[in-house]
């Protein structure tokens, strides 16, 4: 999987456009609605909030994890531990991609041993980011179970990885790019599909 930083291409016909010419497929209210639904599904799938830990994959998976924790609190009335999981040194493309600045993993008090860890990311693509996240998580402890929640699943898997909780399934073409923009990182909440040709204008 690849988060917004790794996104490839969807049809740009129809729907509102952003200021770069891309097509907006999820607006702020739709992102909020998708996260609320995922929160309910997490609670249903785990019979409540006991032993849950959310681990966001930077960059945009981290704020999404905090938003999910807020939604879970609103539904269940409890505070779910939230952490971040840096995968920089676990990626399998380190030799071919520019090295990103490492961000220290932040593990909530209580750790991950014996917990149900929900990995949170913005976009599921090839599956390689998730594989790196699993390797990184294994160095932090031994969870009882690991789940995956993503805002967008755009397809084109290269590894046998699937999400347990998906905000929106978004069939795409390889040449298109999916960009998740969040207020915390980009000043706006939206998911945009564009093509390299449109972006270059």
């Amino acid at each position: 999987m690849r988060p917004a930083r790794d996104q490839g291409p969807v049809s740009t016909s129809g729907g509102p456009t952003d200021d770069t010419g891309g097509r907006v497929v999820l607006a702020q209210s739709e992102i909020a609605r998708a996260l609320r639904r995922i929160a309910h599904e997490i609670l249903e799938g785990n019979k409540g909030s006991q032993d849950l830990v959310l681990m966001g994959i930077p960059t945009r998976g981290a704020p999404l994890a905090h938003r999910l924790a807020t939604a879970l609190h609103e539904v269940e009335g409890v505070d779910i531990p939230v952490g971040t999981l840096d995968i920089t040194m676990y990626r399998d493309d380190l030799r071919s991609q520019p090295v990103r600045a490492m961000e220290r993993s932040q593990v909530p008090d209580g750790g991950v041993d014996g917990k149900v860890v929900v990995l949170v990311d913005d976009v599921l693509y090839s599956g390689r980011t998730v594989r790196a996240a699993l390797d990184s998580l294994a160095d932090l402890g031994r969870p009882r179970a690991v789940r995956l929640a993503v805002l967008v699943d755009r397809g084109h898997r290269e590894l046998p990885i699937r999400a347990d909780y998906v905000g929106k399934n978004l069939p795409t073409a390889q040449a298109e790019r999916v960009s998740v923009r969040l207020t915390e990182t980009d000043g706006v909440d939206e998911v945009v599909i564009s093509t390299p040709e449109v972006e270059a204008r």
Side-chain angles (χ1 to χ4, degrees), residues 76-105:
E76 195 79 349
V78 295
D79 293 324
I80 306 298
V82 182
T84 58
L85 190 64
D86 184 67
I87 64 167
T88 304
M89 301 309 297
Y90 297 86
R91 297 183 63 92
D92 61 7
D93 59 359
L94 282 176
R95 295 181 180 179
S96 59
Q97 298 290 333
V99 178
R100 296 175 57 244
M102 290 185 63
E103 300 180 37
R104 184 177 178 181
S105 292

Side-chain angles (χ1 to χ4, degrees), residues 24-86:
V24 177
V25 293
L26 284 179
Q28 181 177 18
S29 61
E30 294 165 313
I31 291 174
R33 193 157 48 243
L35 292 175
R36 284 195 298 270
R37 177 168 49 77
I38 290 174
H40 281 281
E41 291 175 356
I42 288 173
L43 292 172
E44 291 170 4
N46 293 279
K47 297 180 173 58
S49 58
Q50 188 174 6
D51 292 333
L52 276 177
V53 174
L54 303 179
M55 295 291 287
I57 301 173
T59 298
R60 290 164 185 81
L64 287 174
H66 283 281
R67 293 193 194 189
L68 272 177
T70 299
L72 287 164
H73 178 83
E74 292 172 352
V75 175
E76 195 79 349
V78 295
D79 293 324
I80 306 298
V82 182
T84 58
L85 190 64
D86 184 67

